[in-house]
Amino acid sequence: MFNEYICKVYAQPLYRKVEDLSKKWWPESDFVVKDYPIWVPFLGTYNLNLFRSVWRTFFVAVTTTLSITFPFFNDVVGLIGALVFWPLTVYFPIEMHITQKKIRKSWGKWFGLKLVSGVCLIVSILAATGSITGIAKELKTYRPFMSI
């Protein structure tokens, strides 16, 4: 379930980049470029692109295999999430808001925004620490392709 969520949400930019690069590299290939219209009852026409279907299925299969192979896969994903959460979700948006609205340092709103940013930084550090602890704990008993 978690892996499915990752593939549906966070992998969309990766999907798009690979598909755009493939269209750039192989513009003559029908497999990569051509859409095949398929009529779906009660829904209308759906344009099927064979490359998109194969590439996305392959990506999901690989990430699912990795998550099965490594019992600490969720901890690794949690570590990555903890590392990118604060700068991308908290720090940069808050700084952009402060800059766009021209909030001065002496105002209570500026202090409040900085406080929220600092608290979220601490939460991210704690989450990263927890993920690293989980990875270290799992590595002690890790045996590939063996259930524990």
Side-chain angles (χ1 to χ4, degrees), residues 82-138:
L83 293 175
V84 300
F85 168 73
W86 180 73
L88 297 180
T89 308
V90 180
Y91 178 74
F92 291 130
I94 286 177
E95 291 301 316
M96 286 187 288
H97 177 73
I98 289 172
T99 303
Q100 286 176 346
K101 299 295 181 181
K102 296 178 176 61
I103 299 171
R104 292 184 293 172
K105 290 183 181 180
S106 61
W107 289 17
K109 187 173 183 180
W110 179 87
F111 179 75
L113 290 169
K114 290 294 187 173
L115 182 65
V116 167
S117 181
V119 168
C120 289
L121 173 61
I122 292 168
V123 169
S124 290
I125 291 170
L126 293 174
T129 304
S131 293
I132 291 169
T133 303
I135 292 169
K137 182 179 174 184
E138 291 290 335

Side-chain angles (χ1 to χ4, degrees), residues 11-28:
Q12 293 302 322
L14 176 65
Y15 290 156
R16 181 61 183 240
K17 186 67 173 176
V18 169
E19 291 161 8
D20 288 346
L21 285 175
S22 298
K23 286 178 183 178
K24 183 179 174 183
W25 290 339
W26 302 291
E28 305 289 323

